[in-house]
């Protein structure tokens, strides 16, 4: 770790972190009370004060109702927000909590509540305090899950979620620098014990990072890898856009039964690079299916089946009889008449024999 990683963030550096957001009417700051989010709030408030007409800042704390300390931590955030002359809201995740997949469900609930708070405040962006350390952990988690290039790109600086822009201005900043910033300002913060609970994947990986760093795989290097993969992913997306236009020019369309559908000429599709073909299938299935998003591994299996069928007997392919008919993520994929067709799959039948869905 370099000396810079342990130095407080200067006012000049903070201005650069938020510079792209200065024309927003309002910004929601996601502040849990931990060091990262408290530093985000303090840095954003200092930046706002330096502007003649800066965005209105609203600090929002989400209480998931999972720890008894959460309500006190929300009150502590509110007190600091008041000192910083910021509006504060506490949003609560109510209702039953799932027995399994709790971290993912809590994360979804958090973003849903933050988006609701942003719409209520007239904010264009929600700012989260994800750091370089979080980026490294996310890359490792996705690597272990077998993600493709898109997944290994980890987190982007700006994304859209729940109809609101999600910004991560601290994504290149190490957590140690945020802690140093708060210590210099003499600002306290909460310590969430769940961040060290090895019952969950992320804390287990977090505990491994010092060992990886000793072998040269520190958070800086992992974040750099994620950035390079994001660059490669963006290039492949451009190629996929071009391939989609190419196939559309050759596409005779598919208006059968009045259903929305996508149709590719099979031989033209087969001539494209494998990664591009895979993304074309993913796009079509996710756009037309009603049970998505599709799992990458299942789409890879489907594409292998399509490739095998397309490479089969050309005479059979031309007769129009389906060589393949498969449902995936609520989409129906078929190969017939020399074309690949993707359309919404019929709704599943309920056990009592009636159609599922509403």
């Amino acid at each position: 770790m370099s000396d810079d990683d342990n130095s407080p963030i200067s006012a000049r550096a903070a201005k650069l972190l938020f510079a792209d957001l200065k024309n927003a009417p309002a910004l929601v700051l996601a502040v849990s009370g931990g060091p990262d989010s408290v530093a985000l709030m303090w840095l954003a408030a200092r930046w706002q004060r330096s502007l003649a007409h800066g965005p209105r800042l609203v600090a929002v704390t989400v209480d998931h109702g999972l720890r008894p300390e959460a309500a006190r931590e929300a009150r502590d955030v509110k007190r600091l927000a008041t000192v910083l002359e910021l509006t504060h809201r506490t949003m609560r995740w109510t209702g039953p909590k799932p027995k399994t997949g709790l971290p993912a469900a809590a994360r979804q609930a958090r973003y849903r509540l933050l988006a609701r708070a942003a719409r209520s405040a007239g904010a264009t962006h929600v700012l989260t305090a994800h750091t370089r350390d979080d980026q490294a952990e996310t890359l490792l988690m996705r690597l272990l899950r077998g993600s493709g290039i898109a997944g290994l790109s980890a987190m982007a600086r700006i994304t859209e979620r729940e109809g609101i822009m999600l910004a991560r201005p601290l994504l290149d900043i190490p957590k140690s620098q945020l802690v140093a910033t708060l210590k210099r300002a003499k600002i306290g913060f909460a310590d969430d014990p769940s961040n060290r609970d090895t019952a969950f994947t992320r804390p287990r990986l977090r505990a491994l990072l010092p060992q990886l760093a000793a072998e040269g795989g520190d958070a800086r290097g992992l974040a750099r890898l994620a950035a390079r993969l994001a660059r490669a992913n963006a290039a492949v997306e451009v190629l996929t856009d071009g391939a989609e236009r190419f196939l559309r020019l050759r596409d005779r369309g598919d208006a059968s039964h009045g259903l929305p559908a996508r149709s590719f000429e099979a031989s033209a599709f087969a001539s494209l690079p494998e990664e591009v073909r895979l993304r074309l299938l993913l796009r079509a299935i996710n756009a037309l299916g009603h049970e998505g998003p599709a799992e990458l591994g299942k789409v890879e299996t489907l594409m292998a089946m399509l490739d095998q069928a397309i490479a089969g007997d050309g005479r059979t392919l031309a007769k129009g009889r389906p060589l393949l008919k498969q449902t995936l993520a609520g989409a129906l994929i078929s190969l017939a008449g020399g074309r690949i067709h993707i359309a919404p799959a019929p709704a599943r039948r309920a056990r009592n024999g009636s159609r599922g869905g509403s």
Side-chain angles (χ1 to χ4, degrees), residues 104-120 123-126 159-166 168:
R107 186 167 55 252
Q108 290 176 1
R110 177 174 181 251
Y111 285 122
R112 186 173 62 252
L113 292 169
L114 288 169
R116 185 186 304 170
R119 285 189 288 269
S120 176
T124 54
H125 294 69
V126 169
T159 53
E160 185 274 336
R161 189 158 186 165
E162 298 283 342
I164 297 292
M165 299 308 295
L166 189 66
R168 302 177 177 94

Side-chain angles (χ1 to χ4, degrees), residues 29-45:
L29 311 174
V31 188
S32 65
D36 302 350
S37 62
V38 169
L40 171 70
M41 180 169 66
W42 189 81
L43 289 167

Side-chain angles (χ1 to χ4, degrees), residues 213-229:
E215 299 296 332
D218 61 4
R220 184 191 297 271
L222 292 171
R224 186 185 303 118
L225 173 59
R228 288 170 175 168
L229 288 167

Side-chain angles (χ1 to χ4, degrees), residues 153-295:
S153 301
M155 293 180 284
R157 185 171 301 280
I158 298 280
T159 53
E160 185 274 336
R161 189 158 186 165
E162 298 283 342
I164 297 292
M165 299 308 295
L166 189 66
R168 302 177 177 94
L170 307 181
L171 204 53
D172 293 330
I173 305 298
K175 183 187 186 78
S176 55
Q177 238 190 318
L178 299 179
V179 172
T181 300
L182 293 179
K183 287 183 177 178
R184 169 73 64 84
K186 295 182 171 54
I187 294 174
F189 50 85
D191 177 26
D192 183 352
S194 65
N195 288 328
R196 298 186 300 277
D197 188 348
T198 55
F200 301 117
T201 303
R202 188 176 287 271
R204 290 198 298 271
L205 290 176
R206 187 173 295 140
L208 290 175
L209 280 174
Q211 299 174 50
L212 291 175
E215 299 296 332
D218 61 4
R220 184 191 297 271
L222 292 171
R224 186 185 303 118
L225 173 59
R228 288 170 175 168
L229 288 167
R231 192 171 62 213
N233 180 64
V236 178
E237 280 292 287
V238 171
L239 291 175
T240 306
D241 290 341
E244 203 163 32
R245 289 191 294 271
F246 164 71
L247 291 173
R248 195 179 299 124
L249 288 173
R250 304 175 64 99
D251 189 1
R252 296 190 297 265
D254 183 4
S256 59
H257 309 296
L259 291 174
R262 294 190 187 182
S263 178
F264 305 137
E265 184 182 291
S267 58
F269 178 84
S271 70
L272 297 169
E274 184 175 355
E275 179 68 19
V276 172
R277 298 201 311 275
L278 182 67
R279 292 182 185 225
L280 287 170
L281 284 176
L282 271 167
R283 287 183 182 186
I285 292 168
N286 288 338
L288 297 168
H290 47 79
E291 298 175 4
E295 293 179 25

Side-chain angles (χ1 to χ4, degrees), residues 4-41:
D4 288 345
D5 288 352
N6 292 303
S7 61
I9 298 172
S10 67
R12 183 172 179 272
K15 285 183 181 181
L16 296 176
L17 294 174
F18 303 106
D20 293 343
L21 300 166
K22 64 181 179 181
N23 294 322
L27 302 170
V28 160
L29 311 174
V31 188
S32 65
D36 302 350
S37 62
V38 169
L40 171 70
M41 180 169 66

